[in-house]
Amino acid sequence: MMGISMSRINKAGLKDLNLRNFAAGIVSALLAITGPPAIILEAASNGNFTTSQTILWMFSCYVFGGIYSILIPWYYKMPIVGAHSITGVAFLATVTAHFSYSELIGAYIVSALLMLAVGVFGIFSKLLDYVPKQIIAVMLAGMIIRYMVNFINSITELPIIGGVALLTFLIFSKWKTKIPPMVAGIVTATVLLFLTQPLESLALGSSPVMPALQVPVFNPLSFLSVSIPLALLILSNDAAVGLGALEQNDYHPPINKVISLSGLFSVLTSFFGGQSANVAGMMSAICADPEAGLKEKRYMGAVVSGVIILLFGLFAWKLVPLIQVLPKPFISLLVGFALLGVFGNSLSTGFSNPKMKLSAALTFVIALSNITLLNISAPVWSLLVGTLVARFVEN
């Protein structure tokens, strides 16, 4: 069902590449390689990962995400962009401290298998219908709010860098240019950092870390606390957004196959230390937009994005040590810019239905509390309580 004919891929040449889809591909890739790496490092630091484990996480997500973004759009001739899930990483940053590295690997694999099953059995829409999107969105908002607080604090600690970068973010938000505000803010902050910090203090890594299969450990608690929320976040915040953007632009993506392939690629990614490689939400929206050129050629934007992401992953062993020595307030600044749009969208979606005020409020507060009850983490309790209240109290 999911076999990809290499002969079909080879028939398509670079003749469909043009300036407009090339530019869309670059912008799409920038979304993946600017803010999200800082969140990965934050999550890895919270879980006390070694440098090698952190590099493998970055390597696997970007390499397999890049391969997904090259093969799948080229085969289907649709701008189905592949990457890893920024909302998934933001969630993991809240739970990596509670499980061992091997338990997390096992949880990633189970999460990927859940996505694969959703695609194979064709229950994607039914699953998202049962767990209201408002509950998933407000759970995410509650989990990442502390990163938003750290973001504001980092601006006060780095007033010139943070203030100018935030102003740039707001200007690009107002102008609605082709360059996403997140990218504009992060690039501005990075340029200012290099202008105000001695470059000799930033050393690139020099020792390559070879890819290696990671040994998983499976247990029921990591399944409940990590696998289920991670799969739901990827399906609702990435797959649903990306596939929806394709349909809005008159594409007819094979939904079940795309979900299944996301699960399959995520399984491969998990065995090498990453959490997922899946269809991307906003990145697919960028490459599917009419601004990316003729409809039948927009798929090349996804391919360009995949090539850039793949290269980024291959050089993770050089980049991770560089990011690790950046000032902590600056990392908080990058994470904040990467999550600001996600946070705003989550709040907007989460509290969009006036009939779900109670369930949304309870979900938000429970997720924010970061409690652990019966060894089950806050995100799971927030999903459970919020869904039950929405279904049986407010319905």
Side-chain angles (χ1 to χ4, degrees):
M1 180 185 69
M2 296 179 294
I4 296 179
S5 168
M6 293 305 297
S7 61
R8 181 173 175 179
I9 291 176
N10 291 331
K11 287 179 182 178
L14 296 179
K15 58 179 174 27
D16 288 336
L17 183 65
N18 56 50
L19 184 60
R20 295 181 71 178
N21 57 36
F22 183 76
I26 291 176
V27 173
S28 169
L30 285 173
L31 281 178
I33 66 177
T34 47
I39 307 176
I40 288 179
L41 263 66
E42 178 81 12
S45 175
N46 292 346
N48 293 316
F49 288 14
T50 65
T51 298
S52 294
Q53 290 169 340
T54 305
I55 291 173
L56 282 176
W57 188 351
M58 194 92 74
F59 166 86
S60 57
C61 284
Y62 284 94
V63 167
F64 285 105
I67 294 172
Y68 183 107
S69 195
I70 294 171
L71 296 182
I72 308 308
W74 207 327
Y75 178 76
Y76 286 112
K77 296 297 182 292
M78 298 182 196
I80 305 169
V81 183
H84 70 91
S85 171
I86 182 173
T87 55
V89 175
F91 159 68
L92 291 173
T94 69
V95 299
T96 50
H98 304 297
F99 297 94
S100 70
Y101 177 76
S102 295
E103 287 174 332
L104 288 169
I105 297 299
Y108 301 161
I109 293 171
V110 174
S111 174
L113 291 174
L114 288 174
M115 287 191 288
L116 179 59
V118 168
V120 170
F121 293 107
I123 57 173
F124 176 58
S125 58
K126 292 180 181 179
L127 178 64
L128 293 187
D129 283 342
Y130 188 78
V131 181
K133 64 179 181 180
Q134 291 86 354
I135 298 302
I136 298 175
V138 82
M139 175 200 72
L140 180 61
M143 290 189 309
I144 65 177
I145 191 170
R146 72 183 183 91
Y147 294 105
M148 296 297 96
V149 174
N150 292 339
F151 171 62
I152 299 302
N153 290 335
S154 69
I155 294 176
T156 65
E157 295 180 55
L158 298 171
I160 296 177
I161 296 175
V164 175
L166 179 59
L167 181 61
T168 303
F169 180 94
L170 295 174
I171 290 173
F172 276 77
S173 297
K174 172 67 174 177
W175 287 350
K176 301 186 185 304
T177 66
K178 296 179 183 178
I179 301 175
M182 182 196 85
V183 173
I186 288 175
V187 169
T188 300
T190 303
V191 170
L192 289 174
L193 176 74
F194 275 76
L195 289 176
T196 57
Q197 297 282 335
L199 296 180
E200 56 269 20
S201 67
L202 301 176
L204 285 170
S206 56
S207 301
V209 175
M210 298 304 295
L213 290 173
Q214 305 300 292
V215 179
V217 170
F218 302 97
N219 69 50
L221 289 179
S222 63
F223 169 72
L224 289 172
S225 294
V226 180
S227 302
I228 294 177
L230 179 59
L232 286 173
L233 283 170
I234 294 172
L235 291 172
S236 61
N237 288 279
D238 293 288
V241 173
L243 292 169
L246 288 166
E247 291 178 339
Q248 288 172 12
N249 286 282
D250 297 324
Y251 291 98
H252 302 285
I255 293 175
N256 291 331
K257 290 183 179 179
V258 171
I259 299 297
S260 298
L261 286 165
S262 294
L264 181 60
F265 272 79
S266 293
V267 169
L268 296 173
T269 304
S270 300
F271 275 108
F272 287 91
Q275 89 286 357
S276 69
N278 51 271
V279 56
M282 285 307 300
M283 295 167 67
S284 294
I286 289 171
C287 291
D289 191 84
E291 289 290 331
L294 293 174
K295 178 186 171 185
E296 62 271 16
K297 297 184 178 183
R298 291 177 203 163
Y299 75 95
M300 282 304 298
V303 174
V304 170
S305 181
V307 171
I308 296 172
I309 292 170
L310 173 61
L311 291 173
F312 186 87
L314 290 174
F315 287 95
W317 61 278
K318 284 278 190 183
L319 298 168
V320 167
L322 169 63
I323 301 173
Q324 285 178 326
V325 299
L326 293 174
K328 188 168 181 59
F330 183 74
I331 295 295
S332 296
L333 196 67
L334 296 185
V335 172
F337 278 124
L339 292 178
L340 187 55
V342 173
F343 182 65
N345 290 335
S346 296
L347 285 177
S348 177
T349 301
F351 292 100
S352 62
N353 188 344
K355 296 181 180 179
M356 295 178 60
K357 291 180 181 179
L358 180 59
S359 59
L362 284 172
T363 302
F364 181 77
V365 171
I366 294 172
L368 175 62
S369 71
N370 202 29
I371 62 168
T372 299
L373 185 63
L374 301 177
N375 289 320
I376 299 174
S377 61
V380 178
W381 286 116
S382 66
L383 277 176
L384 179 62
V385 173
T387 301
L388 290 176
V389 172
R391 288 290 174 192
F392 300 106
V393 176
E394 295 176 321
N395 197 350

